[in-house]
Amino acid sequence: MVTLQELTQYTNTFLQVDRFRDYCPNGLQVEGVDHVHSIITGVTASQALLDVANDQQADAILVHHGYFWKNEDLRIVGIKRKRLATLLRNNISLLAYHLPLDAHAEIGNNAQLARLLGLQIDGVLQSAAQTVCGTYGHLKQAVPAEKFKRLIDSILQRNCTHVNAGPANIENIGWCTGAGQGFIELAVEQKLDAYISGEISEPTAHVAREAGIHYYAAGHHATERYGIQALGEHLAQKYDLSHQFVDIDNPA
Ligand SMILES: [Zn+2]
């Protein structure tokens, strides 16, 4: 068991939330009961996830995609009203960690994807504005690009979209979980063989072809399942909490 205050303080420090300028508040977003015995983790604080947490009588929910995004409608109506009502009526806290959870060196989404795909991390992909936009690294041994697609498919349980535009065998790879397709140009600058993210946009295919780099769109949801899960396990161990990761599947 842990107090909500300690859980929040510890997690904020662990994920170094102060280092990030983000599009949403990181940390405690909705306050519930003072003492936390059980937590539920999930990728997104959707109504389906809240309903499971409520059925399981969880004290707190931790997610990667929470609420209160920059430029969203400020009014508490419709879907947002229903979600907040579920949390407040049942005294369930919501903690959300966006960019700090992508970037964390051990339990972060990018680090966890590397672990799953057997990638050794060499450095971060950084934009001109000095924001971290992903990671790059290498495979122990070069593999055929098509074989690597099948590896992604089997590990993430998803038929990933492969723009087959680079060398036959790949070794140096960049990646950024979620909607990081726009950062493919950083991978090009770094002269990598391939770049992986969650989604694909129309221009991504042209950039890949014209720069001669493979692009794998492995699923926004699928690439971001692992950070929050690892965070939940870490907290459960540290504070002796019951923890369940709930995968509300998403085709995106
Ligand atoms: Zn995301």
Side-chain angles (χ1 to χ4, degrees), residues 64-65 98 178-179 220 224:
H64 180 49
H65 302 135
H98 185 235
H220 187 141
E224 295 196 324

Side-chain angles (χ1 to χ4, degrees), residues 176-205:
C176 178
T177 62
Q181 65 269 43
F183 304 134
I184 187 171
E185 303 200 40
L186 298 174
V188 172
E189 278 170 34
Q190 198 77 31
K191 300 195 179 356
L192 302 173
D193 304 321
Y195 178 66
I196 310 164
S197 189
E199 301 186 23
I200 185 164
S201 304
E202 198 273 351
T204 324

Side-chain angles (χ1 to χ4, degrees), residues 139-239:
L139 293 165
K140 271 193 204 131
Q141 195 176 349
V143 297
E146 281 164 27
K147 188 173 170 193
F148 193 66
K149 181 215 182 286
R150 292 194 296 274
L151 176 78
I152 296 176
D153 288 352
S154 75
I155 286 175
L156 298 184
Q157 297 288 296
R158 183 122 338 200
N159 182 17
C160 90
T161 301
H162 176 202
V163 182
N164 191 343
N169 292 303
I170 61 171
E171 188 173 359
N172 296 304
I173 298 175
W175 65 98
C176 178
T177 62
Q181 65 269 43
F183 304 134
I184 187 171
E185 303 200 40
L186 298 174
V188 172
E189 278 170 34
Q190 198 77 31
K191 300 195 179 356
L192 302 173
D193 304 321
Y195 178 66
I196 310 164
S197 189
E199 301 186 23
I200 185 164
S201 304
E202 198 273 351
T204 324
H206 299 294
V207 174
R209 287 177 192 148
E210 289 171 41
I213 185 171
H214 289 276
Y215 181 63
Y216 301 94
H220 187 141
H221 172 88
T223 55
E224 295 196 324
R225 284 184 200 121
Y226 305 97
I228 196 71
Q229 217 170 138
L231 176 64
E233 278 157 28
H234 174 84
L235 295 173
Q237 233 172 27
K238 181 169 171 65
Y239 293 115

Side-chain angles (χ1 to χ4, degrees), residues 14-246:
F14 179 63
L15 295 178
Q16 301 179 280
V17 295
D18 295 339
R19 273 183 49 216
F20 295 85
R21 255 204 289 146
D22 212 333
Y23 320 99
C24 63
N26 284 295
L28 184 62
Q29 291 194 335
V30 180
E31 187 179 349
V33 278
D34 287 343
H35 291 86
V36 177
H37 304 86
S38 63
I39 57 174
I40 293 271
T41 55
V43 177
T44 300
S46 62
Q47 187 66 45
L49 183 72
L50 307 188
D51 291 343
V52 175
N54 191 27
D55 286 348
Q56 314 255 332
Q57 299 183 306
D59 300 314
I61 302 172
L62 288 93
V63 293
H64 180 49
H65 302 135
Y67 303 151
F68 315 119
W69 298 90
K70 206 169 155 184
N71 301 328
E72 82 175 26
D73 187 344
L74 295 172
R75 297 171 304 154
I76 313 291
V77 295
I79 289 171
K80 196 198 242 177
R81 187 207 75 87
K82 196 175 168 208
R83 288 172 168 186
L84 289 173
T86 304
L87 291 169
L88 294 171
R89 207 181 280 140
N90 299 291
N91 263 318
I92 304 170
S93 298
L94 177 69
L95 291 93
Y97 294 95
H98 185 235
L99 296 181
L101 186 63
D102 287 325
H104 191 270
E106 298 148 49
I107 62 107
N109 281 322
N110 286 321
Q112 291 293 316
L113 189 65
R115 181 181 60 80
L116 286 165
L117 297 177
L119 290 156
Q120 319 280 311
I121 297 174
D122 292 326
V124 293
L125 293 173
Q126 212 147 23
S127 73
Q130 294 297 301
T131 346
V132 174
C133 303
T135 312
Y136 68 93
H138 65 276
L139 293 165
K140 271 193 204 131
Q141 195 176 349
V143 297
E146 281 164 27
K147 188 173 170 193
F148 193 66
K149 181 215 182 286
R150 292 194 296 274
L151 176 78
I152 296 176
D153 288 352
S154 75
I155 286 175
L156 298 184
Q157 297 288 296
R158 183 122 338 200
N159 182 17
C160 90
T161 301
H162 176 202
V163 182
N164 191 343
N169 292 303
I170 61 171
E171 188 173 359
N172 296 304
I173 298 175
W175 65 98
C176 178
T177 62
Q181 65 269 43
F183 304 134
I184 187 171
E185 303 200 40
L186 298 174
V188 172
E189 278 170 34
Q190 198 77 31
K191 300 195 179 356
L192 302 173
D193 304 321
Y195 178 66
I196 310 164
S197 189
E199 301 186 23
I200 185 164
S201 304
E202 198 273 351
T204 324
H206 299 294
V207 174
R209 287 177 192 148
E210 289 171 41
I213 185 171
H214 289 276
Y215 181 63
Y216 301 94
H220 187 141
H221 172 88
T223 55
E224 295 196 324
R225 284 184 200 121
Y226 305 97
I228 196 71
Q229 217 170 138
L231 176 64
E233 278 157 28
H234 174 84
L235 295 173
Q237 233 172 27
K238 181 169 171 65
Y239 293 115
D240 196 20
L241 308 172
S242 96
H243 164 233
Q244 192 192 340
F245 169 73
V246 178

